[in-house]
Amino acid sequence: MGTILLLGAVQLADSAHRSHDAWRTYQAAAHAERLTEAFHTLMGGQEALAFESARTRIVLQNPMPINAMNRTFLDDNRALIETTCDKVKDPAWASYQENLAMSVEEMYADLKALRTRVDADLALPKASRDPALPMEWEKVSARLNGVLEARLFALLERELSRDNSDLRTISQLLTMRFNGSQLRLSGVAESSRIHMAVRMDNPIPMEALREVAANRGRSEALWMVVEQQAMSLNMPELGQGLLALDRQLHVALRPLQDKVLEKAAEGGYGISEKQYLSVAMPTFMALQKLMNTVTDVSNRLADEHKAASLRMVALNVAVIGGYLALIVVALWFVSRRLVRPLEQMSDVLRRLRKGEYEVSLPWSRRGDEIGNLSEGMEAFRANLIEREHVLEESRIAKAEAERANLAKSQFLSSMSHELRTPLNSIMGFAQLLKLDDLTPEQVKSVDTIMAGGEHLLELINEVLELAKIEAGRLTINREDIDGNAVFRETGLFIQGMADKRAITVHNLPDGDLAANLVNVDRTRLRQVFLNLLSNAVKYNREKGDVYLTVETRGDRVRFNVRDTGLGIPDDDREKVFEPFNRLGAEQTETEGTGIGMTVTKQLVEAMDGVIDFVSVAGQGSTFWIEFPAVARA
């Protein structure tokens, strides 16, 4: 059942992810569709503006007033520009055409104001027209064309070039459409200059020839780009249109234009305006047909992406619904077969926790996981009953052990006091013997007696201290003291012991460290430092070093004692603080009781401190104790 639920959840997540991807593709396709519409609208407006501008310039150079054919041509293109300006005001364009409507409307207002003057001049013979009007017309129409072209670039570069593999082909088609339109505009500009020369049958001015050459170069470059883009898209309908355009452009129009340009210096071209237009117009119509094909293909692809993504969304939504239904059924089954028995078992466990062991477990006869769990609970109940018996026995044993431990501590305390009195007498008599005139051998024997007595007295004192701690009779008199000062004083005290083995004690500097206040028992702290430092000297090598350092770690103070002795192996780490365990040092000449570190640890912990060490075998050890720092007022 768990596997079914897990698989259902995995499939549900996968279907949701696929639906999300499909919906994003649909949104991208819808966005591309709107952008494509905007692109074609702007493209049509730019082309209409270019044709109106070119035809207006031609008619203004004509000696006769405008005829009906040119009037119709201009009116048709002006209607297209008007439509473009109306569409760019659509609020739906606002998300991806910043300030477009404002820019176009401002430029178009200038153009419309100038049209009134142009129309008045077109109705007059050339001799009566304003000679500065053609230049002014060119400037105003160029400004509007620049705005439209900038917006077209923005669509291509910012919106339609997004990294979406499903829509990349549409972006390539619209880029081709843009380049084809620019090719058409350049071709029309070049052809209009040649057309004017053929109409007038006059030489072409040098300025016009330079303009023809510039447009010819731009047209050839754009033709190569359009040709490469059409071939890379590998679409038969584009290939057919490209071949038709290539034949019309390079087989028909270019040779005719070259023939005219050969006689540009003297005029007399030998062809009529009608003959020229009969070749030029089909060329631009073939280019327009190719661009219309590009537009149709891009629109079709956007529609196909939208439809495909919607189908994918619907399919995945259906799959999600099926999996949700399956999960609901599975949860209902689980509730009846698992949840209710588990709730009852939870109640049984609560009763067992309260010590009510006489409970019934009726699910043991089931052959599934619930039955296995019930058998386990029955075994658990039996273990609890047995555990209660064991705990009772442990409580009795613990009470007996505590009584025995107290008796041991009392015995050790009593025996230590009983031993100290005769021991002091022995050491006193030994000191009196040294006052007599003794032989060297006798002096050596008395020194041995006194050394043994001092060692035994040290052992008795440490045993008494340990017994006092274990009996809970340790007294701690806390006060705020400068731990650094006590640490340094203890280092000075141990210096004599270190000198006997030529060991250098690197003490704290005198007065260079700021005081570190700790709330401890001064006597006990000195005892702890003395134990650590004496061990650092005793277990060091000859001519070794002992380093005393202090660290401030946030709100705690750490005192470090580092030696250069043999170190402590990792296997013996847990034995360092065991009583009467000297880690094999008892087989050497180094004196000790094996109780000092045990007492030190208990003293440190009684003062809310921490003790530990790090050691590297063969290099030495660093023992440290750490206490909370006292905040200064």
Side-chain angles (χ1 to χ4, degrees), residues 478-542:
R478 291 176 175 271
E479 59 178 320
D480 294 345
I481 65 171
D482 182 2
N484 294 356
V486 178
F487 198 27
R488 187 176 186 279
E489 290 171 5
T490 312
L492 294 173
F493 181 79
I494 207 70
Q495 184 66 55
M497 179 181 176
D499 291 341
K500 294 178 181 179
R501 301 187 62 203
I503 293 174
T504 303
V505 178
H506 301 270
N507 206 339
L508 298 179
D510 185 13
D512 290 344
L513 290 177
N516 281 311
L517 298 182
V518 289
N519 186 256
V520 295
D521 186 312
R522 180 186 294 272
T523 302
R524 298 300 183 183
L525 181 63
R526 184 180 288 109
Q527 182 180 351
V528 167
F529 286 154
L530 185 59
N531 282 342
L532 293 180
L533 287 167
S534 61
N535 281 350
V537 172
K538 286 194 298 184
Y539 298 106
N540 210 327
R541 57 181 172 82
E542 296 290 335

Side-chain angles (χ1 to χ4, degrees), residues 36 40 173-174 177 290-300:
T36 301
H40 294 322
L173 285 166
L174 294 181
R177 171 76 172 84
L290 176 60
M291 294 303 103
N292 290 340
T293 302
V294 171
T295 301
D296 294 341
V297 172
S298 64
N299 290 337
R300 187 183 73 242

Side-chain angles (χ1 to χ4, degrees), residues 431-620:
Q431 290 173 355
L432 289 174
L433 284 173
K434 288 193 71 173
L435 297 176
D436 294 337
D437 187 12
L438 302 177
T439 64
E441 288 295 328
Q442 290 173 332
V443 171
K444 183 177 181 181
S445 297
V446 172
D447 287 340
T448 302
I449 292 172
M450 293 188 65
E454 289 175 355
H455 180 65
L456 183 57
L457 184 60
E458 180 186 357
L459 176 60
I460 290 171
N461 289 334
E462 290 187 351
V463 168
L464 281 173
E465 189 75 26
L466 183 61
K468 185 185 295 184
I469 294 172
E470 290 182 348
R473 292 187 284 109
L474 180 66
T475 302
I476 301 294
N477 299 314
R478 291 176 175 271
E479 59 178 320
D480 294 345
I481 65 171
D482 182 2
N484 294 356
V486 178
F487 198 27
R488 187 176 186 279
E489 290 171 5
T490 312
L492 294 173
F493 181 79
I494 207 70
Q495 184 66 55
M497 179 181 176
D499 291 341
K500 294 178 181 179
R501 301 187 62 203
I503 293 174
T504 303
V505 178
H506 301 270
N507 206 339
L508 298 179
D510 185 13
D512 290 344
L513 290 177
N516 281 311
L517 298 182
V518 289
N519 186 256
V520 295
D521 186 312
R522 180 186 294 272
T523 302
R524 298 300 183 183
L525 181 63
R526 184 180 288 109
Q527 182 180 351
V528 167
F529 286 154
L530 185 59
N531 282 342
L532 293 180
L533 287 167
S534 61
N535 281 350
V537 172
K538 286 194 298 184
Y539 298 106
N540 210 327
R541 57 181 172 82
E542 296 290 335
K543 299 182 181 180
D545 294 276
V546 175
Y547 298 89
L548 283 68
T549 57
V550 179
E551 300 177 66
T552 302
R553 294 169 167 257
D555 59 349
R556 301 183 71 83
V557 182
R558 177 175 291 191
F559 303 92
N560 303 293
V561 176
R562 180 166 69 89
D563 62 62
T564 56
L566 297 178
I568 301 171
D570 289 340
D571 295 341
D572 293 335
R573 181 177 182 84
E574 301 300 326
K575 303 174 184 178
V576 170
F577 298 106
E578 292 180 359
F580 304 105
N581 192 336
R582 298 186 63 203
L583 306 181
E586 65 274 6
Q587 301 175 5
T588 67
E589 296 181 357
T590 304
E591 294 182 352
T593 63
I595 303 176
M597 290 307 297
T598 305
V599 173
T600 298
K601 185 174 189 299
Q602 295 190 10
L603 287 175
V604 170
E605 292 177 350
M607 294 184 290
D608 299 327
V610 179
I611 183 171
D612 206 347
F613 69 96
V614 291
S615 183
V616 179
Q619 298 183 19

Side-chain angles (χ1 to χ4, degrees), residues 140-342:
V140 172
S141 59
R143 288 175 61 194
L144 179 57
N145 180 72
V147 171
L148 295 174
E149 186 168 338
R151 297 307 174 181
L152 285 167
F153 272 119
L155 280 173
L156 288 173
E157 295 178 0
R158 186 181 63 191
E159 299 289 345
L160 293 168
S161 60
R162 289 179 176 177
D163 187 15
N164 187 320
S165 57
D166 295 328
L167 305 177
R168 190 172 294 120
T169 302
I170 296 176
S171 176
Q172 292 172 337
L173 285 166
L174 294 181
T175 303
M176 180 181 172
R177 171 76 172 84
F178 177 80
N179 290 324
S181 177
Q182 300 306 306
L183 171 61
R184 187 180 182 202
L185 295 177
S186 296
V188 168
E190 175 191 359
S191 184
S192 65
R193 288 295 187 182
I194 298 175
H195 177 206
M196 290 171 61
V198 170
R199 166 181 284 183
M200 305 302 296
D201 204 23
N202 289 331
I204 303 177
M206 185 57 64
E207 180 184 353
L209 284 174
R210 282 196 294 268
E211 185 179 343
V212 168
N215 282 293
R216 172 71 64 90
R218 188 164 184 263
S219 296
E220 291 298 332
L222 287 168
W223 165 253
M224 293 178 61
V225 172
V226 170
E227 187 178 32
Q228 290 175 358
Q229 289 175 332
M231 294 175 63
S232 66
L233 288 169
N234 194 23
M235 295 180 178
E237 57 266 54
L238 297 183
Q240 294 173 4
L242 193 68
L243 288 175
L245 176 60
D246 182 59
R247 287 193 299 267
Q248 190 65 36
L249 178 63
H250 293 99
V251 177
L253 181 61
R254 285 289 184 236
L256 180 62
Q257 289 177 333
D258 292 341
K259 182 179 178 181
V260 172
L261 293 174
E262 287 176 358
K263 300 180 178 181
E266 63 271 10
Y269 304 107
I271 61 172
S272 65
E273 177 185 8
K274 184 176 181 181
Q275 289 174 320
Y276 180 80
L277 292 177
S278 67
V279 176
M281 294 305 294
T283 301
F284 297 119
M285 290 176 62
L287 178 57
Q288 183 61 42
K289 184 177 180 181
L290 176 60
M291 294 303 103
N292 290 340
T293 302
V294 171
T295 301
D296 294 341
V297 172
S298 64
N299 290 337
R300 187 183 73 242
L301 288 178
D303 290 340
E304 289 175 355
H305 281 302
K306 284 176 60 179
S309 56
L310 279 178
R311 287 195 299 270
M312 183 61 68
V313 169
L315 175 62
N316 283 284
V317 168
V319 172
I320 290 173
Y323 279 117
L324 285 175
L326 178 62
I327 290 174
V328 169
V329 173
L331 289 175
W332 175 82
F333 179 80
V334 168
S335 176
R336 288 188 59 84
R337 293 285 295 173
L338 296 178
V339 175
R340 290 182 183 177
L342 289 175

Side-chain angles (χ1 to χ4, degrees), residues 24-36 167 302 305-306:
R24 288 185 61 185
T25 301
Y26 171 79
Q27 289 180 316
H31 185 66
E33 186 178 50
R34 293 192 301 270
L35 291 174
T36 301
L167 305 177
H305 281 302
K306 284 176 60 179

